[in-house]
Amino acid sequence: MINRHLLPNEIDLLVDGDVGFGVAPLRAHVRQCPECQAKVDEARVIVDALEELPHFAPSSIFADRVMQQVHVFEPWHVAARNSVQKLVPRSVPARIAAGVMGIAATTVFAIASLWIGLRIDLLTVVSGSAIQRGREIVASALEGLVGAAFGPAALAVVRGMGTIGLLVATVILAVTATGAVMGVRRLATASSRRAGGL
């Protein structure tokens, strides 16, 4: 005989109609305990109501709709492989055509490289002007950065000093920015330690 009220899993055993060595004392207790009898009857009503509910099957596109809302992290190498696989045609004739086009493009590129290589004077002029234009773009960007960071007076000093002044100002700006980032990081670390210690 059980001298306590039944546990939820014991009530489940009785509602499910299980038979076995430990079920007989549970049934005997329910016959003598009105509170446990009420819990068993209540559980039977719930189980019967659940059994009468219609069984629904999810639609065929349910999984697709759920997975569209799930954000899945994809490593870069998997994304690169998938991108390349999307570019490769599936049919054999299309693969052959893509291969022929790739060989043709490579041949044209090789011929163009040889033609430019044979005309080295043209290459020297074009590369020299491209390098000069690149220097001008970089210098302009650095001047804009120094002017925005230190103001027009500092920009005038840097212009007066020339390329060396521009390089010195850029190094000072990089060191200052690095120091600021490290300072903010230390403050954040100290703050989190204090918060953790509370």
Side-chain angles (χ1 to χ4, degrees):
M1 181 74 182
I2 299 175
N3 295 328
R4 58 170 173 76
H5 292 298
L6 297 182
L7 300 172
N9 62 333
E10 295 171 332
I11 293 173
D12 290 342
L13 288 173
L14 293 175
V15 170
D16 292 342
D18 285 353
V19 291
F21 176 71
V23 178
L26 299 177
R27 287 194 177 127
H29 174 78
V30 168
R31 282 192 290 268
Q32 295 180 359
C33 178
E35 187 175 335
C36 289
Q37 178 65 45
K39 287 181 181 178
V40 169
D41 292 341
E42 194 177 295
R44 279 196 180 118
V45 168
I46 292 172
V47 168
D48 291 341
L50 289 173
E51 289 295 326
E52 292 176 8
L53 288 175
H55 297 284
F56 292 106
S59 69
S60 59
I61 60 171
F62 175 75
D64 293 334
R65 287 191 303 190
V66 169
M67 289 310 293
Q68 286 175 352
Q69 297 176 11
V70 174
H71 300 288
V72 179
F73 171 74
E74 188 175 42
W76 68 268
H77 56 88
V78 174
R81 186 190 68 219
N82 291 343
S83 298
V84 169
Q85 285 178 349
K86 287 179 185 177
L87 296 175
V88 175
R90 294 180 189 257
S91 68
V92 174
R95 285 185 181 185
I96 292 171
V100 169
M101 288 175 30
I103 291 171
T106 304
T107 304
V108 168
F109 181 73
I111 291 171
S113 298
L114 284 173
W115 182 78
I116 291 174
L118 293 174
R119 293 182 170 53
I120 197 72
D121 56 341
L122 177 64
L123 180 63
T124 304
V125 171
V126 170
S127 64
S129 64
I131 290 171
Q132 181 60 30
R133 183 66 185 139
R135 283 183 189 161
E136 291 172 2
I137 290 172
V138 169
S140 174
L142 290 176
E143 283 182 0
L145 189 62
V146 168
F150 298 111
L155 184 58
V157 170
V158 167
R159 282 185 182 157
M161 293 175 65
T163 307
I164 294 176
L166 187 58
L167 288 175
V168 169
T170 305
V171 168
I172 290 172
L173 181 63
V175 168
T176 305
T178 304
V181 168
M182 290 175 64
V184 168
R185 187 179 262 175
R186 283 191 179 172
L187 283 173
T189 303
S191 176
S192 65
R193 284 183 186 159
R194 273 189 251 130
L198 293 178

